[in-house]
Amino acid sequence: MKNLPPIPAEPDVNRRDSLRTAFALALPGAAATASAPAAAQPATRATTLVAFLSRSGNTRVIAGQIRRAKGADLFEIQPAPPYPEDYLEHVEQARQETLRGHRPTLAQRVQNLSGYATVYLGFPIWGETMPPPVRSFLAEHDLAGKTVIPFITHGGYGVGASLSVLTRDAPGARIGQALVMQADQERATLERVTQWLGGRMPARTR
């Protein structure tokens, strides 16, 4: 049986909170908090959706920045039941699901998907590929005719097979240029995401 690389370990909570705060302050008019509702808000007129899966918080921070910059709706991909809180149990369950090609049930689906022309899809790399819950999301939501722009975090192993899986699991979608980031690099993450979104970073404090 193939041994898959582990899911990156949880980052330090204080560092993650600092990163979240930095993202919130980087964009003009951004709210001071980086928290956001888990589901897309069907009452808005946004034509852009940010759908993401985040285990440790890094991908969530990027999702929040994209939402603020693009005026997008936010949807968190959540398996039901959720993965175990224990890190090693979580890793083993995800490894087994990946090996079996299992697609877990999701807690909710996007409402009014037809109203979105662009979907930013964010996820961490698990075992050198796309996480099973994201494959479930693609199986349950028809993205044909939409522009899908991936943003991917990883712990040092790169994107693996995730982009080829995305192309295969989202037939008919236009796949945009991906943002790929090694997780837990606060300033580098902030600078690269802002540049990717066409914005400008505030000057460094000396």
Side-chain angles (χ1 to χ4, degrees):
M1 182 178 294
K2 180 181 178 181
N3 291 323
L4 298 175
I7 299 171
E10 289 280 0
D12 179 81
V13 173
N14 291 331
R15 294 185 68 195
R16 187 172 69 234
D17 289 344
S18 297
L19 174 58
R20 186 172 296 153
T21 301
F23 272 121
L25 296 176
L27 296 172
T33 176
S35 61
Q41 301 301 309
T44 72
R45 297 181 180 179
T47 59
T48 299
L49 175 70
V50 180
F52 72 97
L53 173 75
S54 185
R55 189 193 68 82
S56 61
N58 291 306
T59 310
R60 183 191 306 275
V61 170
I62 299 174
Q65 186 181 4
I66 297 171
R67 177 186 66 83
R68 290 187 294 272
K70 298 297 183 180
D73 287 338
L74 198 67
F75 178 86
E76 183 169 4
I77 301 170
Q78 297 175 312
Y83 283 97
E85 290 289 338
D86 180 82
Y87 172 71
L88 293 179
E89 292 178 4
H90 183 126
V91 170
E92 180 59 21
Q93 179 175 326
R95 187 181 73 86
Q96 291 294 336
E97 289 179 348
T98 298
L99 289 173
R100 300 196 314 268
H102 176 68
R103 298 177 183 178
T105 301
L106 299 183
Q108 56 192 347
R109 298 184 63 179
V110 175
Q111 300 182 43
N112 301 324
L113 181 64
S114 61
Y116 299 107
T118 301
V119 177
Y120 285 83
L121 181 63
F123 54 89
I125 294 298
W126 291 2
E128 294 187 333
T129 192
M130 177 184 290
V134 181
R135 298 200 67 189
S136 296
F137 175 85
L138 294 174
E140 295 183 12
H141 298 83
D142 183 6
L143 302 182
K146 301 183 186 298
T147 298
V148 178
I149 305 175
F151 56 101
I152 302 170
T153 58
H154 66 89
Y157 292 96
V159 300
S162 63
L163 292 177
S164 61
V165 171
L166 174 59
T167 300
R168 183 174 65 247
D169 285 6
R174 296 179 293 273
I175 309 300
Q177 181 177 357
L179 171 72
V180 179
M181 291 292 302
Q182 184 168 342
D184 223 19
Q185 303 175 89
E186 289 90 341
R187 182 71 189 191
T189 298
L190 185 59
E191 290 175 342
R192 286 196 55 192
V193 176
T194 301
Q195 182 181 31
W196 182 63
L197 291 172
R200 178 178 297 179
M201 278 288 296
R204 289 179 181 269
T205 302
R206 294 183 180 276

